[in-house]
Amino acid sequence: MIQLTATPVSALVDEPVHIQATGLTPFQMVSFQASLEDESGNMFYSQAHYRANEFGEVDLKHAASLGGDYMGVHPMGLFWSLKPEKLLTRLLKKDVMNKPFQVQLKLYDLELIVNNKAASAPKASLTLERWYVAPGVTRIQVREGRLRGALFLPPGEGRFPGVIDLFGGLGGLLEFRASLLASRGFASLALAYFNYEDLPAKPEITDLEYFEEAANFLLRHPKVFGPGVGVVSVCQGVQIGLSMAVNLKQVTATVLINGTNFPFGIPQVYRGKIYQPFPYSAQLISTSALGLLELYRIYETTEVGASQYLFPVEEAQGHFLFIVGEGDKVINSKTHAEQAIGQLRRHGKNNWTLLSYPGAGHLIEPPYSPLCCASMTRDLKLHWGGEVIPHAAAQEHSWKEIQRFLRKHLIPDMTSPL
């Protein structure tokens, strides 16, 4: 009897799943297919083809895919190789608390698929639950003063290291990374800063005092460790995270994923200081062979006069973790990270770590998330970049390193004298 098993059937999205098929004929060729429907009804699909061993078994932990959406030994390949049925669609979890993503796994005889008989019933199937929040994590809507966001607290009495989570140009409130961080033991504030509730849709300035209020709000919470908080930021959020690290003594650990070392778009303002945005070169926007916009060349930071726009990163007292996808087609993030590190070095600072991933694109997300190499954003067809397999490896490695970095710099040394 053919059986398809997956362990665990219900798990957090950053946890691996062990998938096996048994009861096949020796050396039978089979196709594993995965599908997922997002909260808007968009479908995502993946498939991989395998040969059973002499015992009629396929164990994805050890067996190599021979074809389909990836090749080689990749136990979680069916998850990170999911592709949208509708092109330029990004998989984003919105309701993290109440419903998981459901992934349908089906096992087919490969010969039936090759002969266009896939309409026949699968040999076996099952449904997996992929959660963005662990049992016991609580979500608190934040509307304190002008702050808008959602605070996620791990189960238990605490206290916990505090983290502010910042996304980029999409605006609104994205919660899936903060909910996962809380599931891993961090008190995480998913912070909106434009285009959400009563926040301006198109702000004319970035007021850093708003983010200072967020840091103080987190530090006042009885379940949060002091004296410092961490920041996890990506894309447009990086320019804010970097500025927070420079200007706010409360920020002691900053994760910077594929961003710039200068403000862009609009000025940043903090207590009388104004950081002017770096001027962009529109003539350097390029278009890929598929008609996708590539923006990574528009900031020429090596030109004369460019240094006046760069953040004085050497003034930061905390630590930096720069995470770079070398295949980023939106921001020349490796160059910007190396430039910031060069400034730190020239001032005798070694408070930084750089993780640079060949083949990874712009949207480095938690492990096993599908690569989104392009999507519609603000009516633009943006090329985010990345190759499926190296991008997946970057997500898995960087997620562990982010947590290690935050714990190292945010959890007080309990052995030190009080």
Side-chain angles (χ1 to χ4, degrees), residues 16 19 36 65 74 95 120 123 126 148-149 151-152 170 192 195 254 256 259 301 315 330 346 365 379-380 410:
I19 299 171
L36 179 156
S65 170
H74 298 290
D95 178 4
S120 60
K123 299 297 183 183
L126 56 82
R148 299 292 179 267
L151 176 62
F152 292 87
L170 278 180
N195 199 28
T254 309
L256 307 154
T301 56
E315 295 178 9
V330 173
R346 285 193 297 275
E365 300 193 320
D379 298 322
L380 300 176
L410 295 180

Side-chain angles (χ1 to χ4, degrees), residues 341-394:
I341 289 167
Q343 280 178 255
L344 292 168
R345 279 178 165 154
R346 285 193 297 275
H347 288 82
K349 297 280 192 118
N350 62 355
N351 57 339
W352 55 271
T353 300
L354 171 64
L355 300 176
S356 189
Y357 298 103
H362 183 72
L363 296 175
I364 295 178
E365 300 193 320
Y368 318 125
S369 302
L371 166 67
C372 178
C373 64
S375 68
M376 288 292 296
T377 303
R378 297 181 182 177
D379 298 322
L380 300 176
K381 297 178 181 179
L382 283 186
H383 187 192
W384 302 109
E387 303 164 33
V388 176
I389 292 176
H391 189 89

Side-chain angles (χ1 to χ4, degrees), residues 117-171:
K117 296 178 181 177
S120 60
K123 299 297 183 183
S125 63
L126 56 82
T127 302
L128 299 174
E129 292 184 343
R130 305 294 283 168
W131 287 90
Y132 283 80
V133 65
V137 170
T138 55
R139 178 190 183 277
I140 302 166
Q141 187 75 36
V142 175
R143 297 186 182 94
E144 179 156 322
R146 57 178 177 165
L147 290 182
R148 299 292 179 267
L151 176 62
F152 292 87
L153 295 174
E157 292 301 313
R159 295 183 292 158
F160 308 105
V163 176
I164 297 171
D165 191 33
L166 299 173
F167 277 88
L170 278 180

